[in-house]
């Protein structure tokens, strides 16, 4: 600030020269860039090259030894005024009238008038009243992240002290009002009649009022006696002093709890804890839940990050649950459960050619069941984990090692672990190709070879049987090797021809043998451990092409101008000898004498090869439909717009000429589409072309033979439909700002765990994230699937179906009230599995939210009134109740 004033004055003096009277320039000034006059201050010296040899005492190096004035500036200054500028040389003053503006580095000062007095080393910025008595041109100063508005500003450019009146300054999210603010140093301020708030209105909806306070810019504010006010009405809660952190970034401190009440858990405090910043790379969060019936939970969450190298976090959770029992024989139900989650990501720039990532989520099967404040997590019955390391050598070799885990929390809880899994890949190479290609390649030079090797180790065990002995007993390993051989041939017109040979081999650690027990009339299973192998080879010649068709005979007034149909047929001839005949056997499965073919390697990691030789064809047809329609809104490209009707639909199958029976394979049907760019549809089915006997077993007779025509039996199928609708934003500009906020590149990157935590919080408290700019929205998803499976006791067949629908939507009751709901309905059980509802009230800088879960494992009710500001999020009124 002092540098700016002095520099302006010096430049003005150079412009005026020796004028002795005040001069007023009435013409409107335009922004002018001040520069230091170009004066050659370096004395001329004789070139050292002309000095006689040996006379070294007279040689002097050129130096810039001019003494610089203390008032010199180190950056350009821009200044302007809408009306005029007055230069009073005798009194050493400069005055900018009407919309005065001064810019220097990152500082920008505007006011109705700005006066600079060099004799007193002062700058004064003032506003004025118009004919209606309203203030015009309030002084505003912006420097970096700091903003300050006032009716009057006065600074001493030498002592760096200043005084402002009726001031509003922003410190991050915190807004400070001061009747009079005195600046005693570049970062320290004193204020009288102060107001602290996060509401950006001139008359805030709420604030904390104090007669005096001290601020340290971007660090803290300390006040004297303080009390809150709402809509200007004092609340009779007085504190002897107040402390407000104004600094940005991470800070250690206590985490306030939330009071809850539950019929099953009792009264409780949730979220009580402490956040500790250990250094720039590491911090730890500890939170606890405590309930009056004796239950408690603890959550330890350390996180770490090193920029451009890696980041991650660990979450250790332990629950000691004690709730009222539904069993009349005991008063309380107790359980001890735990959960461990870990995520780790390595920046790809840290070690090129190597990657490492981890995403672990494991724990007790009933952990999610006892989480009280997350209705969605109560129904998460599957936990999964993954740790992966990969290394690449050039473009030829790749090694991937991984460890995976998944568990089903339904009783009995089954845990599956795959560790380690190792995959080694040799990308396709051409052994007969020349190192330097000259001319056209020979056909044999296009012969390519590759290698894919996978080694896996699997453990499957029930949670109740979890022990080292049982782990070793259920452990099994396996390996699979594939050597693909391919030959790239030139296309024959529209036909693409691809011959290929594939050899594969599998290694097993055990055999499964099923035998019929006539005494118990059940199947007995025996396991033989050892080292077993199986292999397979196949030869193929594939052909593919594409056919295009278009229909354009529509009327001139038709909204459709053309329909385009693309057909992509595929056809291949292949041969596979029966190298797995010894891996299969026939065994009786019921008292009726029905028999079934089994493999010794059923249930192994990589599974058995298909039985029998194959010498036949494989075929398939894929279709795509598009339309061209006339658009009333989009006039580009003649007002014609392409619309996808069906993204793809078709079928795949095969015919084995060498098979003794069942020569025609099952037909796979599929369809995928995005109707009207809104409705996503995915469907699939499996068609069996053969008849079955009375017991449900296939017989070698086509379904369309005899009687009425039938293409076959649908043995399994699925369909999923999802769509979303929402109204147009009331304010397009605000919607664009919200969208850009999420894309802000200056925001720090978030770890996957942090993203999941924020998503989980938003799901638990949808009312706090209501977007009133969108009047209404609706998301719908429906899925249905069925399959026909062999019964577990081999007594016949059964059809299992699953069907559910999920709805999620909200709408504005009024411009300030929004209501919404989220539900999940299971058609198989004919019941609503989960239902949550919310209602939210927009109150500018505050928000009222009510969340209700009337259906679910835990039925909850929550009402919260809190400021929107993140730094005051914990300053809230909350009431929560849980019902088990």
């Amino acid at each position: 600030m002092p540098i700016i004033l002095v520099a302006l004055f010096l430049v003005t003096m150079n412009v005026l020269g020796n004028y002795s009277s005040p001069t007023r320039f009435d013409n409107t000034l335009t922004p002018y860039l001040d520069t230091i006059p170009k004066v050659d201050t370096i004395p001329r010296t004789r070139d050292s090259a002309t000095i006689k040899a040996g006379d070294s005492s007279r040689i002097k190096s050129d130096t810039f030894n001019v003494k610089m004035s203390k008032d010199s500036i180190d950056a350009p200054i821009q200044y302007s005024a809408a009306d005029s500028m007055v230069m009073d040389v005798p009194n050493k003053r400069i005055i900018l009238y009407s919309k005065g503006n001064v810019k220097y580095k990152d500082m920008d000062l505007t006011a109705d008038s700005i006066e600079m007095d060099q004799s007193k080393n002062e700058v004064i910025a003032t506003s004025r009243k118009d004919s209606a008595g309203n203030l015009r041109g309030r002084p505003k100063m912006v420097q970096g992240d700091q903003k300050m508005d006032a009716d009057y500003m006065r600074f001493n450019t030498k002592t760096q002290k200043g005084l402002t009146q009726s001031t509003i300054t922003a410190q991050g999210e915190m807004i400070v009002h001061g009747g009079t603010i005195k600046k005693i140093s570049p970062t320290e301020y004193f204020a009288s009649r102060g107001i602290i708030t996060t509401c950006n209105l001139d008359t805030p909806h709420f604030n904390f009022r104090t007669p005096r306070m001290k601020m340290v810019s971007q660090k803290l504010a300390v006040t004297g006696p303080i009390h809150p006010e709402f809509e200007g009405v004092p609340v009779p809660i007085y504190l002897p002093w107040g402390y407000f952190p104004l600094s940005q970034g991470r800070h250690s401190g206590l985490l306030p709890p939330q009071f809850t009440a539950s019929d099953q858990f009792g009264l409780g405090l949730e979220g009580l804890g402490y956040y500790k910043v250990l250094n720039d790379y590491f911090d730890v969060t500890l939170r606890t839940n405590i309930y009056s019936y004796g239950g408690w939970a603890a959550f330890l969450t350390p996180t770490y990050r090193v920029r451009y190298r890696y980041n991650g976090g660990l979450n250790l959770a332990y629950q000691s649950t004690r709730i009222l029992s539904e069993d009349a024989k005991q008063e309380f139900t107790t359980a001890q459960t735990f959960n461990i989650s870990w995520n780790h990501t390595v920046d790809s720039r840290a070690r090129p050619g190597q990657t490492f990532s981890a995403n672990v989520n494991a724990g007790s099967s009933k952990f999610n069941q006892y989480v009280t404040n997350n209705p969605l997590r109560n129904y998460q019955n599957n936990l999964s984990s993954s740790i992966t390391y990969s290394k690449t050598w050039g473009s030829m070799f790749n090694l991937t090692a991984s460890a995976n885990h998944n568990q089903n929390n339904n009783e009995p809880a089954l845990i599956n672990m795959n560790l380690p899994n190792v995959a080694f890949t040799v990308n396709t190479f051409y052994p007969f190709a020349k190192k330097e290609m000259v001319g056209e390649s020979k056909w044999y030079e296009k012969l390519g070879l590759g290698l894919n090797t996978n080694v896996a180790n699997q453990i499957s065990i029930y949670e109740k049987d979890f022990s080292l002995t049982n782990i070793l007993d259920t452990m099994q390993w396996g390996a699979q090797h594939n050597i693909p051989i391919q030959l790239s041939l030139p296309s024959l017109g529209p036909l693409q021809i691809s011959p290929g040979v594939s050899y594969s081999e599998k290694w097993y650690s055990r055999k499964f043998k099923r035998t019929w027990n006539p005494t118990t009339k059940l199947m007995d299973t025996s396991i033989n451990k050892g080292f077993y192998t199986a292999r397979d080879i196949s030869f193929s010649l594939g052909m593919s092409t594409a056919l295009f068709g278009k229909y354009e005979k529509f009327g001139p007034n038709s909204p459709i101008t053309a329909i385009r149909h693309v057909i992509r047929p595929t056809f291949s001839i292949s041969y596979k000898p029966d190298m797995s005949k010894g891996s299969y056997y026939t065994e009786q499965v019921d008292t009726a004498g029905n028999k079934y073919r089994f493999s010794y390697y059923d249930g192994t990691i990589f599974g058995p090869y298909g039985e029998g030789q194959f010498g036949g064809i494989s075929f398939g047809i894929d279709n795509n439909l598009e339309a061209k329609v006339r658009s009333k809104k989009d006039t580009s490209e003649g007002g014609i717009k392409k619309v996808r009707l069906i993204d793809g639909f078709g079928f795949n199958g095969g015919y084995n000429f060498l098979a003794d029976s069942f020569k025609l394979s099952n037909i796979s049907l599929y369809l995928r589409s995005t109707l009207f760019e809104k409705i996503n549809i995915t469907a699939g089915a499996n068609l069996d072309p053969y008849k079955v006997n009375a017991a449900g077993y296939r017989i070698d007779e086509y379904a369309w033979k005899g009687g009425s025509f039938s293409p076959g039996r649908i043995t399994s199928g699925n369909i999923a439909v999802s769509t979303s609708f929402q109204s147009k934003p009331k304010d397009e500009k605000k919607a664009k700002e919200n969208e850009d906020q999420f894309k802000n590149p200056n925001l720090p990157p978030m770890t996957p765990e942090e993203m999941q935590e924020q998503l989980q919080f938003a799901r638990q408290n949808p009312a706090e994230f209501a977007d009133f700019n969108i009047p209404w929205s609706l998301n719908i998803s429906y899925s249905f699937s069925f399959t026909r499976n062999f019964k577990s006791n081999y007594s016949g067949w059964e059809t299992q179906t699953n069907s559910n629908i999920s709805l999620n939507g909200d709408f504005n009751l009024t411009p300030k009230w929004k209501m919404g709901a989220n539900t999940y309905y299971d058609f198989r059980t004919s019941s609503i599995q989960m239902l949550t509802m919310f209602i939210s009230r927009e109150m500018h800088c505050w928000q009222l939210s009510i969340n209700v879960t009337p259906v679910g494992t835990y039925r909850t009710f929550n009402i919260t009134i809190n400021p929107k500001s993140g730094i005051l999020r914990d300053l809230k009124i909350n009431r929560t109740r849980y019902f088990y």
Side-chain angles (χ1 to χ4, degrees), residues 677-715:
E677 306 295 331
K678 278 290 185 181
I679 304 175
N680 300 311
I681 302 176
T682 303
N686 187 63
L687 177 67
D688 188 345
Y690 293 96
K691 295 181 179 180
V692 296
N693 59 19
Y697 294 91
R698 301 172 79 198
I699 59 176
D700 190 13
E701 183 178 346
Y702 291 122
W704 51 82
K705 284 189 177 182
S708 60
F709 174 79
S710 174
R713 298 175 301 108
I714 300 293
T715 58

Side-chain angles (χ1 to χ4, degrees), residues 384-449:
S384 61
S385 306
S386 156
I387 302 175
T388 305
Y389 169 81
S390 67
K391 180 174 177 58
T392 301
W393 292 271
S395 60
M396 192 71 174
F397 306 101
N398 178 266
L399 175 68
T400 301
S402 63
N404 302 300
H405 146 269
N406 68 80
Q407 68 183 71
N408 190 332
N409 292 335
N410 293 323
E411 292 293 343
L414 178 64
I415 301 173
N416 296 311
M417 293 180 286
N418 296 282
L419 55 109
N421 287 359
V422 180
F424 180 73
T425 302
V426 179
N427 295 327
T428 303
F429 66 97
Y430 302 89
F432 303 110
K434 298 177 183 178
K435 293 184 178 180
E436 296 182 2
M437 299 300 297
V438 179
E440 187 176 352
S441 302
K442 304 295 183 180
W443 68 269
Y444 57 83
E445 294 179 343
K446 297 182 179 180
L447 181 67
L449 299 175

Side-chain angles (χ1 to χ4, degrees), residues 543-549 564-571 618-626 646-653 667-673 683:
M543 291 175 287
S544 63
T545 187
L547 304 175
F548 300 88
R564 184 172 182 262
H565 184 197
V566 182
I567 304 175
R568 294 182 175 86
T570 58
F571 180 83
S618 298
F619 53 85
I621 295 180
D622 182 68
N623 297 266
N624 173 271
L625 280 179
E626 291 181 345
I646 301 180
D647 296 333
F649 69 96
F651 62 89
N652 295 291
I667 307 300
S668 175
L669 309 172
Y670 63 90
L671 180 144
R672 59 185 184 277
S673 178

Side-chain angles (χ1 to χ4, degrees), residues 504-683:
S504 65
E505 184 170 323
K506 295 181 181 180
W507 297 347
Y508 305 98
S509 63
R510 59 180 60 191
K511 275 186 178 182
F512 292 85
K513 174 64 177 177
R514 301 173 180 86
T515 56
W516 173 254
N517 190 329
T519 303
T520 61
K521 296 181 181 181
L522 295 173
M523 299 289 292
D524 293 336
T525 302
S526 61
I527 300 175
N528 299 320
K529 295 185 178 181
F531 178 76
Y532 308 95
T533 63
R535 54 199 54 84
D536 192 42
I537 189 170
S538 63
F539 308 87
S540 65
L541 179 65
M543 291 175 287
S544 63
T545 187
L547 304 175
F548 300 88
K550 183 184 292 187
Y551 181 79
E552 298 179 307
K553 295 182 179 180
F554 293 93
N557 297 325
S558 174
I560 303 176
T561 61
I563 291 180
R564 184 172 182 262
H565 184 197
V566 182
I567 304 175
R568 294 182 175 86
T570 58
F571 180 83
S572 64
I573 303 173
S574 59
Y575 170 73
K576 182 184 77 70
D578 187 6
M579 302 181 68
S580 303
K581 186 175 183 180
S583 300
Y584 285 81
Y585 61 96
T586 302
E587 187 63 37
Q588 181 180 339
V589 295
D590 56 25
T591 56
N594 291 309
K595 296 184 177 181
Y596 194 80
R597 293 284 287 175
F598 296 99
S599 172
Y600 291 114
Y601 305 121
D602 287 334
T604 57
I605 297 176
F606 294 105
Y609 286 112
E611 182 185 15
Q613 62 178 347
F614 182 89
I617 60 173
S618 298
F619 53 85
I621 295 180
D622 182 68
N623 297 266
N624 173 271
L625 280 179
E626 291 181 345
K628 288 186 176 181
V629 298
R630 292 184 174 92
S631 176
K632 297 180 180 179
K633 298 180 180 179
D634 190 357
T635 58
S636 61
E637 299 182 2
I640 303 300
K641 181 181 179 181
K642 290 183 179 180
V643 177
R644 295 179 297 173
L645 299 179
I646 301 180
D647 296 333
F649 69 96
F651 62 89
N652 295 291
Y655 190 87
N656 186 3
F657 292 101
L658 302 180
D660 296 332
S661 59
F662 303 106
K663 294 185 178 183
L664 182 62
S665 70
N666 288 357
I667 307 300
S668 175
L669 309 172
Y670 63 90
L671 180 144
R672 59 185 184 277
S673 178
T674 305
L675 297 178
F676 315 110
E677 306 295 331
K678 278 290 185 181
I679 304 175
N680 300 311
I681 302 176
T682 303

Side-chain angles (χ1 to χ4, degrees), residues 40-51 58-65:
D40 189 0
T41 58
I42 304 177
R44 300 179 178 272
T45 59
R46 185 171 54 175
D47 192 344
S48 58
T50 62
I51 299 175
R58 299 178 59 188
I59 299 177
K60 296 181 179 180
S61 59
D62 293 342
T63 57
F64 192 87
N65 57 3

